[in-house]
Amino acid sequence: IPPINGDFYELGKTLPGHERDIQLRVREFMEREIKPIANDYWNRGEFPMQIIPKMAELDIAGLTYQGYGCPGHSALLEGFVAMEMARIDTSISTFFGVQSGLAMGSIYLCGSEEQKKEWLPPMQKLEKIGAFGLTEPEVGSGVAGGLTTTCKREGDAWVLNGQKKWIGNATFSDMTIIWARDLEDQQVKGFIVRKGNPGFKAEKLEDKMALRTVQNALITLTNCEVPETDRLQEANSFKDTAKVLRMTRAGVAWQAVGCARGAYELALAYTNERKQFGRPIASFQLVQDLLVTMLGDLTAMQTMVFRLSEMQDGDILKDEHASLAKVFCTLRMRSIVDNSRALFGGNGILLRHDIARFVADAEAVYSYEGTKEINSLIVGRAITGHSAFV
Ligand code: FAD
C-alpha cells in the first residue's frame, strides 16, 4: 500500500529547509499530543489546557510578525502551520488562529508601541491568551456598518456597553479585543479588555455541534471601564478592523485545506483497511473515482492557498483575494469531508473513527470569518464594481 499523503503535488517540499522543519515539527506535535485526545475533549466540550505550554515550545505564535519576540517567518509557512493543525483537529487550529491571528494581529496591526511591547512577547510564548470580540448576538454578517456595542469617552477612560457572541477563547483569556462604536464620532474603535474587569462577563456557549473543543463565549459588557491607554491607538475605523480580518481570512482558507486533507487521508486509509466482497473497498472503481475527485479538489485548494500566501508575502493581497480562497476552499472542504464520511459507511458516524468530527467542524469553518455569501459578495463587488450588500 503506498503512503497516505494528501499533498500530491509536494507543495510542502518547496518550503526552505528551516521552514519545512517547522512544518514537520507541528505535524509531529499534532499527531503525538493532539490526535490521541481530540475526540475525548471534543465530546466533553472542554479545552485541553495542558497542551498550551507544549504548543508554546513550537515557537509558532505570531509567526510572521517582525520584532516583539516574534519569529518573522513567511506567510506561506503560517499557512502550512494552520493546515497541519486542522489536518488533525480544527478546534485546535481555531484556538491557535484566534490567539496568533485575530488577537495578536489586532495588537500588531492596530496597537501602539507600548501595547505591542506589553502584549506580543507573552502572547507569543502563549503565557497570555487572547480573544477577539467583533460579532454580536444580533449582528454577524453586517458588522461593518451595524455594530451596536458602544464606547463613550469619560475623562481618561472609555465606557463600553453591549454584547458579543461566539467569542473564541474568551472564557479563559487574559485579554479580549472588543470592537465598539464610538457614540461621539460613530467610528469603530478597538479596546483591550483585561481579565477580571468587573464590567466584563463571559459565559460559555453550550450545545455546539461543531468545534466543540473551542470555548466560545457570550460576552456582556456593562459599563465596562477601559483606560484610554488600553484603546488600540491605531484603530480609527472599521477599515482597521478589516485589515486584521484580511490577514486571518487567508488563514481560514488554509484551515479548510487542512480539514479537507485530514478527511481525505482518513478515507484513503480506511478504504484500504475495510474489506467487502473479499477485497479492500479501495479496489473498487467507484471508490477510486471518488478518491480521485477528492484529491483533485484538494490539490486545487492547496495550489490556490499557496499562491494566496505568496501574494501575502509579496504584500499584494487584497480582501477579494482572501475572500475568493475562503469561499472556494470551504465549499470544496464541505464536499470532501462529506464524501470521506460516506466512504466510512456506518462507521462514519461513530466519533471514534474521527471522520464524524471533521464533518461537524467543517460546518463552523464554512460559516465563520464571513459566510460563503458575504465573502462571495466581497469578490462580486471587486469584479463587477457593484456592491450588493445593501
Ligand atoms: P448571519 O449574519 O445572521 O447570517 C445568516 C445567513 O444569512 C448566512 O447564510 C449569511 O450568509 C446570510 N446573509 C447575511 N447577509 C446577507 C446578504 N447581504 N446577502 C446574502 N446572504 C446574507 N466572531 C468573533 O467576533 N470572534 C470569534 O472568535 C468568533 N468565533 C466564532 C466561532 C464559531 C464556531 C462560529 C460559528 C462563529 C464565530 N464568530 C466569531 C462569528 C462568525 O464570524 C459569524 O458567525 C459569521 O460572521 C456569521 O454571522 P452570523 O452567525 O450572525 O450569521
Side-chain angles (χ1 to χ4, degrees):
I1 297 170
I4 305 291
N5 182 6
D7 183 4
F8 202 57
Y9 283 1
E10 303 189 338
L11 291 167
K13 289 187 182 166
T14 66
L15 283 172
H18 65 291
E19 291 200 335
R20 174 75 169 162
D21 289 346
I22 295 169
Q23 183 203 354
L24 296 179
R25 275 215 306 277
V26 174
R27 178 178 301 174
E28 203 253 332
F29 168 81
M30 292 302 294
E31 284 175 355
R32 189 189 61 230
E33 301 289 340
I34 306 296
K35 198 171 183 290
I37 61 169
N39 289 334
D40 184 35
Y41 277 88
W42 191 94
N43 203 18
R44 288 189 280 126
E46 288 172 15
F47 188 83
M49 301 297 284
Q50 73 280 10
I51 61 123
I52 294 178
K54 293 179 191 166
M55 189 184 257
E57 286 170 17
L58 294 169
D59 192 25
I60 50 172
L63 198 63
T64 59
Y65 310 147
Q66 302 285 343
Y68 314 99
C70 299
H73 288 295
S74 67
L76 197 53
L77 175 63
E78 186 174 55
F80 275 103
V81 165
M83 186 275 291
E84 289 294 344
M85 287 187 175
R87 177 175 162 262
I88 300 294
D89 186 348
T90 311
S91 286
I92 297 297
S93 84
T94 299
F95 156 79
F96 183 78
V98 170
Q99 167 76 3
S100 178
L102 289 168
M104 286 180 77
S106 297
I107 304 257
Y108 186 71
L109 294 175
C110 304
S112 66
E113 197 52 32
E114 289 72 29
Q115 289 167 339
K116 289 180 197 176
K117 281 187 184 145
E118 177 181 357
W119 288 103
L120 293 178
M123 289 178 84
Q124 200 282 329
K125 294 192 183 77
L126 304 188
E127 290 163 359
K128 297 266 185 226
I129 299 299
F132 176 93
L134 176 63
T135 309
E136 301 182 350
E138 303 302 328
V139 190
S141 302
V143 284
L147 278 196
T148 63
T149 297
T150 58
C151 57
K152 189 166 181 281
R153 179 92 192 235
E154 289 188 2
D156 284 342
W158 291 79
V159 178
L160 275 52
N161 278 291
Q163 281 195 312
K164 297 286 171 186
K165 190 176 173 187
W166 292 115
I167 311 312
N169 304 353
T171 55
F172 59 90
S173 59
D174 297 284
M175 61 88 115
T176 301
I177 303 286
I178 294 288
W179 299 95
R181 182 171 304 283
D182 185 351
L183 284 171
E184 195 72 29
D185 65 8
Q186 297 302 315
Q187 296 298 333
V188 171
K189 296 186 164 56
F191 298 88
I192 300 165
V193 181
R194 294 167 189 251
K195 189 179 197 159
N197 186 317
F200 175 95
K201 188 172 80 175
E203 296 162 277
K204 181 180 167 189
L205 289 177
E206 302 285 355
D207 300 336
K208 283 188 299 164
M209 57 72 77
L211 298 182
R212 289 178 49 77
T213 308
V214 181
Q215 305 297 295
N216 291 97
L218 174 69
I219 293 175
T220 305
L221 302 147
T222 314
N223 294 326
C224 176
E225 214 171 285
V226 180
E228 160 63 10
T229 47
D230 280 349
R231 182 178 64 78
L232 291 176
Q233 300 292 316
E234 303 301 326
N236 299 312
S237 73
F238 190 80
K239 281 197 178 125
D240 296 311
T241 323
K243 276 198 271 180
V244 183
L245 295 176
R246 181 185 313 149
M247 179 181 70
T248 53
R249 218 161 252 168
V252 175
W254 275 96
Q255 274 189 333
V257 174
C259 182
R261 178 169 167 186
Y264 162 81
E265 290 177 347
L266 285 172
L268 182 55
Y270 185 81
T271 54
N272 265 310
E273 286 157 18
R274 178 77 176 170
K275 289 197 174 82
Q276 290 297 306
F277 303 95
R279 294 159 57 183
I281 56 174
S283 68
F284 298 124
Q285 292 176 354
L286 292 177
V287 171
Q288 289 189 7
D289 183 53
L290 200 50
L291 287 167
V292 172
T293 302
M294 285 156 58
L295 182 60
D297 281 344
L298 183 58
T299 305
M301 291 159 72
Q302 289 178 87
T303 47
M304 185 179 209
V305 290
F306 191 92
R307 175 62 190 149
L308 192 72
S309 294
E310 281 182 344
M311 293 174 86
Q312 223 171 338
D313 281 325
D315 212 14
I316 52 169
L317 186 80
K318 293 189 181 153
D319 287 340
E320 54 269 30
H321 298 137
S323 289
L324 184 65
K326 207 269 172 178
V327 170
F328 181 81
C329 292
T330 53
L331 269 173
R332 300 329 301 155
M333 164 195 67
R334 241 183 167 188
S335 146
I336 290 171
V337 296
D338 275 357
N339 284 328
S340 299
R341 198 221 58 77
L343 286 170
F344 274 76
N347 282 338
I349 66 162
L350 290 174
L351 193 50
R352 78 178 76 114
H353 287 278
D354 294 316
I355 191 66
R357 179 166 49 83
F358 281 76
V359 177
D361 289 349
E363 289 305 295
V365 179
Y366 184 71
S367 288
Y368 69 28
E369 293 251 3
T371 61
K372 183 230 167 201
E373 290 74 25
I374 293 306
N375 279 297
S376 293
L377 295 181
I378 291 171
V379 182
R381 182 178 56 192
I383 60 174
T384 67
H386 300 289
S387 173
F389 282 97
V390 283

